[in-house]
Amino acid sequence: MSIHRRSHLWKHWPGLGILLGRAMLADATRARPSLVWVGLGAIAIFVALRAGGLGDYHQAGPGLIGFLNLTKYPPSLDFLLVTLGINLMLVSPLARVRTRAIAEPLEVFGRSPLFFYLLHLYVFGALSWAFPHGTSWPVMYAVWAVAVAAMYPACRWYAGFKTRRPVDSVWRLL
């Protein structure tokens, strides 16, 4: 089976996000605890598949980095399991955040995900010119934090722009 055909099998996974959103809106208190268990289950399945040489288009290399080196485009089953598993485990504690200073930025970035994604490609692409030979981990994380904070106003503007559009507007998809 070709890589293209295999990637076709997973094209309907975004529908899981819609189901999760509906479950959280219906009864978040009941849905939240199960997210951690579903996330742990997805990670356990990932580890079992990856250890067995299944679920990705390429065999795992040596060491932890080789084990975690997964095919992102087109997304392999292993990539989807580990990323969705981690994300599901994070949704539960993040959904409980009531501190406005933390919740508001998360909500802004959550309301403009595609805009943030496209913007970050250009921002970090431009920043790569400043560090042509790489940098240390502390500097990298500091630059990352400053860049994400700098993108916040643009994402907040875009989230407001989307909200002011009609429900059937194509802008709501971005």
Side-chain angles (χ1 to χ4, degrees):
M1 187 180 285
S2 73
I3 289 176
H4 182 266
R5 258 181 84 75
R6 279 190 276 180
S7 67
H8 175 74
L9 296 173
W10 311 110
K11 74 177 186 176
H12 299 291
W13 277 55
L16 293 176
I18 293 169
L19 292 175
L20 172 62
R22 288 184 178 169
M24 292 291 284
L25 285 173
D27 188 0
T29 322
R30 201 175 104 204
R32 257 187 264 137
S34 61
L35 295 179
V36 174
W37 293 108
V38 172
L40 283 171
I43 291 172
I45 294 169
F46 154 72
V47 170
L49 287 175
R50 191 68 170 149
L54 303 169
D56 199 75
Y57 309 122
H58 309 288
Q59 293 297 316
L64 180 63
I65 298 299
F67 189 80
L68 295 175
N69 186 12
L70 302 169
T71 306
K72 184 176 181 180
Y73 296 112
S76 66
L77 177 59
D78 282 351
F79 176 81
L80 291 170
L81 285 168
V82 76
T83 55
L84 290 173
I86 291 168
N87 287 332
L88 286 172
M89 290 173 54
L90 288 173
V91 165
S92 184
L94 290 175
R96 290 188 206 132
V97 172
R98 298 289 180 238
T99 308
R100 189 170 167 87
I102 297 170
E104 187 177 324
L106 291 176
E107 189 174 317
V108 165
F109 287 121
R111 290 182 185 269
S112 57
L114 183 57
F115 179 80
F116 173 79
Y117 174 76
L118 295 172
L119 180 62
H120 103 281
L121 292 176
Y122 291 101
V123 168
F124 288 108
L127 282 171
S128 70
W129 290 67
F131 303 97
H133 304 293
T135 186
S136 67
W137 285 95
V139 171
M140 179 190 72
Y141 280 113
V143 169
W144 172 83
V146 169
V148 169
M151 288 185 278
Y152 176 78
C155 289
R156 193 172 88 206
W157 170 83
Y158 188 75
F161 172 79
K162 269 177 57 170
T163 304
R164 292 186 299 272
R165 297 293 152 261
V167 177
D168 60 348
S169 171
V170 70
W171 291 106
R172 292 280 189 129
L173 299 173
L174 306 175

